[in-house]
Amino acid sequence: MNFISRKPWDPSLHKLTDEGIYHNRGQHRREFLASLGIGAAGILGSSVLPGCGEHKPNTEKLKAAAEIPITKASKEIYPSDRNPKFTYGRDETVQQDAAIYTNFYEFSMSKQTYEHVDRFTPTPWEIKIGGLCAKPTTFDLDELYKKFAFEERAYRHRCVETWAMCVPWTGFQLHQLLKLVEPEAQAKYVQFETFNRPTEAPNMSDSSFPWPYTEGLTIEEAMNELTFVATGIYGEPLPKQHGAPVRLVLPWKYGFKSIKSIVQITLTAQPPKTFWNVVNPREYGFEANVDPKVPHPRWSQSEEWMLGTRERFPTVKFNGYGDYVAKLYG
Ligand SMILES: Nc1nc2c(c(=O)[nH]1)N[C@H]1C(S)=C(S)[C@@H](COP(=O)(O)O)O[C@H]1N2
Ligand SMILES: [Mo]
């Protein structure tokens, strides 16, 4: 993955505890909007001042990337109640700090993918579930919103490149969807596939990559209670650069497993091919669980740094989610 473009960010002025975020969400969002030039200038503005040698967000493009049409069904679920079972154990990442530093190779190999998503139309959208199951199904977004139990989850995220963030996702557990299609006994894996639209995603014209982006899990991983299908982040529909309109979130695995903008889910008997494993099998495995003791061939995985604050933390096995998933690998 592209390492050269990694930039240090200004220390954030935001130091809110989980509690603080929970109760100050409205204020948090107002500051985000203020930073985009909407409403009065907020304190966040000072973290994006030019002259610090950092990326100065293109506020027009940032705002445009987050403009997702709202439907009657989607209105009902944002924001969803936060599941109190999950807490970061750290400060929540500032919304804009996460929004301006994303990996989405279909659009750009830079981190500022939000600057390249203008032509992407994530609504309307369909997601097909098929393969080894009794009831293959296609859902549009409104059907997802109506069928499944939505909640908000505060999850840590760890990219294989060593950056990390703490963000609240809105979505539902993947097992709800899988149970509905009735997997057959031979279904041992689940493959996920991103859209394939080179006219909307400029970097998809780079044919040296095996587009479309694919990912995979064992059926046990897919059924685990942590495995989350997200349609939103920070209590709003996903902006394009975060994987609108529907993505996977797997907090115990390196971030590349959390595939964005999914159009197809397939139950299979054999391990499916996965994008980064095809690109570079030596560096990116199928399992890809966070593990401080297994270095990437080109860098250590013993520490991570937070988007926004640059604060460093020791990496924790399974990204700290061992209570939920260690049993899958024992
Ligand atoms: N389709 C697709 N999904 C993707 C990627 C991508 O390039 N394309 N990047 C992955 C990587 S490397 C990470 S770290 C996470 C980042 O999620 P975020 O950019 O929303 O923080 O998305 C993952 N999902
Ligand atoms: Mo990543």
Side-chain angles (χ1 to χ4, degrees), residues 78-124:
Y78 299 108
S80 294
D81 289 339
R82 188 172 288 195
N83 183 336
K85 201 167 167 181
F86 302 99
T87 54
Y88 305 120
R90 301 179 188 171
D91 294 330
E92 185 165 85
T93 300
V94 172
Q95 185 172 8
Q96 181 176 267
D97 290 333
I100 63 176
Y101 195 99
T102 57
N103 276 329
F104 207 162
Y105 274 64
E106 285 85 339
F107 294 96
S108 168
M109 285 162 69
S110 78
K111 300 301 177 192
Q112 286 72 55
T113 61
Y114 75 91
E115 294 179 342
H116 307 273
V117 296
D118 326 27
R119 275 178 291 158
F120 180 40
T121 49
T123 55

Side-chain angles (χ1 to χ4, degrees), residues 1 103 157 159-161 163 255-256:
M1 280 170 221
N103 276 329
H157 173 99
C159 176
V160 74
E161 297 162 336
W163 60 268
F256 65 87

Side-chain angles (χ1 to χ4, degrees), residues 54-75:
E54 316 296 359
H55 169 69
K56 184 173 179 285
N58 179 329
T59 51
E60 290 289 298
K61 291 209 168 198
L62 203 45
K63 189 170 159 264
E67 258 163 25
I68 307 293
I70 301 284
T71 64
K72 197 161 155 261
S74 72
K75 232 191 216 137

Side-chain angles (χ1 to χ4, degrees), residues 121-143:
T121 49
T123 55
W125 195 265
E126 281 192 341
I127 176 163
K128 286 198 170 75
I129 300 102
L132 301 172
C133 61
K135 297 190 170 151
T137 313
T138 301
F139 294 108
D140 66 23
L141 289 175
D142 280 354
E143 286 166 334

